Amino acid sequence: MSNHSSATEFCLLGFPGSQELHHILFAIFFLFYSVTIIGNTIIIVIICVDKHLHSPMYFFLGHLSAVEMLATSIIVPMMLWGLLLPGMQTVSLTACVTQLFLYLALGTTEFALLGVMAVDRYVAVCNPLRYNTIMNSHTCILVVIGSWVFGFLSEIWPVYATFQFTFCKSNMLDHFYCDRGQLLKLSCGDTLFTEFALFLMAVFIVIGSLVPTIVSYIYITSTILKIPTASGRRKAFSTCASHLTFVVIGYGSCLFLFVKPKQTQAAEYNKIVSLLITVLTPLLSPFIFTLWNDKVKEALRDGVKRGCQLLKD
């Protein structure tokens, strides 16, 4: 490749190792991906069907599940296809831009929704008498639309800035998807300013959505501790436990991957953390939001009973 030409396609190196190892990884990741899609689909369906789940909390959860499914579907099918190929996987520049943009936009939307869900839990626990007034259907719809719009608009410049560089060092991308850090490694230009700007934007997005979550849970914890009975405290905490667990897992992994001054870290580091975000977190999501939620478990049991009854009839 000429030093003055930019790559028009990239070769994804994927995972090292033998073909046998790749087949084992394919089986594992395909199982995880299938469970993720089925689990999140079930959550969305029961939220739409069961009238007991027609509340703001589950409305937001339905959108979060949709984001989880879409985000993992942007990355994992390409990763699975790469594990089946005998050599390197080629992806065009246009496909690379599209994948990176959709992945980052959906990730930002997820952060916004997590912040919204934290505020929703704050209102439910700290202002229960005004909950239905504050979190009315009109407000919920506007907030969800705002989260999706913010997620997609906020990532236009970061992706544009990433692909303004000339990728003339090589077209070998040491990752299983179009990772921004590895793309910047291939650039011949000075990426220092862009990396710093991307770092500031990541801080703004991640920390910006984390602050209302932290503040909300400070007030929630204070309110729960004032409840006189142990059963009352447990009931109040149970409405927040699944969301809080998902926040810790989701934010923790993303802070390691995106909120760092140096975007071009080691490929092995990026691959491991990316696997946590794109495979493990979406896999755990349906279990987190069902195992610790009595209403969702009850809706699932009712759905299974109705299904069995229909089969008998």
Side-chain angles (χ1 to χ4, degrees):
M1 186 180 296
S2 169
N3 288 336
H4 301 287
S5 63
S6 184
T8 57
E9 64 179 19
F10 298 96
C11 294
L12 302 178
L13 300 183
F15 297 94
S18 64
Q19 195 65 24
E20 290 76 15
L21 175 61
H22 286 183
H23 289 158
I24 294 171
L25 291 176
F26 174 86
I28 294 171
F29 294 149
F30 180 77
L31 175 63
F32 286 179
Y33 178 64
S34 300
V35 172
T36 298
I37 296 300
I38 293 170
N40 282 292
T41 300
I42 290 173
I43 288 178
I44 293 172
V45 170
I46 64 171
I47 288 173
C48 293
V49 171
D50 196 305
K51 63 181 181 180
H52 297 103
L53 301 181
H54 291 175
S55 66
M57 175 182 175
Y58 300 103
F59 178 67
F60 298 139
L61 176 57
H63 280 269
L64 184 66
S65 296
V67 169
E68 286 286 305
M69 278 201 304
L70 291 171
T72 193
S73 296
I74 295 297
I75 303 297
V76 176
M78 179 180 286
M79 179 181 71
L80 293 174
W81 182 247
L83 288 170
L84 289 180
L85 293 176
M88 293 175 293
Q89 185 181 17
T90 302
V91 58
S92 68
L93 180 63
T94 301
C96 204
V97 173
T98 303
Q99 184 188 51
L100 182 62
F101 173 72
L102 291 177
Y103 177 58
L104 293 177
L106 289 167
T108 303
T109 302
E110 182 176 331
F111 285 135
L113 287 172
L114 287 173
V116 167
M117 291 175 75
V119 175
D120 171 72
R121 292 299 83 206
Y122 158 74
V123 178
V125 174
C126 301
N127 295 283
L129 298 179
R130 299 179 58 202
Y131 180 73
N132 290 330
T133 303
I134 297 172
M135 302 303 296
N136 57 66
S137 59
H138 181 68
T139 300
C140 291
I141 291 171
L142 285 179
V143 166
V144 164
I145 292 174
S147 297
W148 282 91
V149 171
F150 171 73
F152 278 76
L153 290 182
S154 64
E155 293 299 337
I156 292 175
W157 183 84
V159 174
Y160 172 80
T162 300
F163 287 94
Q164 281 300 294
F165 292 103
T166 300
F167 304 107
C168 56
K169 288 183 179 178
S170 171
N171 69 338
M172 303 293 182
L173 199 62
D174 193 5
H175 216 291
F176 54 82
Y177 78 101
C178 290
D179 175 68
R180 182 168 61 194
Q182 299 308 307
L183 282 167
L184 292 175
K185 275 188 174 183
L186 304 182
S187 169
C188 295
D190 184 5
T191 63
L192 185 62
F193 174 77
T194 299
E195 288 188 57
F196 183 69
L198 293 173
F199 166 70
L200 291 180
M201 285 204 68
V203 169
F204 172 76
I205 291 170
V206 177
I207 306 300
S209 61
L210 186 59
V211 167
T213 302
I214 294 173
V215 172
S216 295
Y217 274 103
I218 289 173
Y219 282 101
I220 288 170
T221 303
S222 176
T223 302
I224 289 176
L225 292 176
K226 292 176 183 177
I227 298 175
T229 62
S231 60
R233 289 193 293 269
R234 281 196 300 270
K235 184 179 179 180
F237 179 74
S238 66
T239 65
C240 309
S242 56
H243 174 262
L244 183 59
T245 303
F246 191 80
V247 163
V248 172
I249 296 173
Y251 278 94
S253 54
C254 286
L255 284 170
F256 279 110
L257 184 61
F258 295 114
V259 185
K260 56 185 189 292
K262 189 69 175 173
Q263 297 288 315
T264 54
Q265 289 201 346
E268 292 75 14
Y269 173 91
N270 277 5
K271 287 179 186 178
I272 293 172
V273 182
S274 295
L275 282 175
L276 291 176
I277 297 173
T278 59
V279 178
L280 188 60
T281 302
L283 172 70
L284 294 176
S285 174
F287 297 101
I288 292 172
F289 286 107
T290 54
L291 293 178
W292 287 357
N293 193 299
D294 293 333
K295 282 190 175 182
V296 175
K297 286 190 288 187
E298 184 179 347
L300 280 171
R301 285 194 294 267
D302 291 342
V304 171
K305 288 179 182 178
R306 285 197 294 267
C308 294
Q309 189 63 41
L310 287 173
L311 290 174
K312 289 179 181 179
D313 297 340

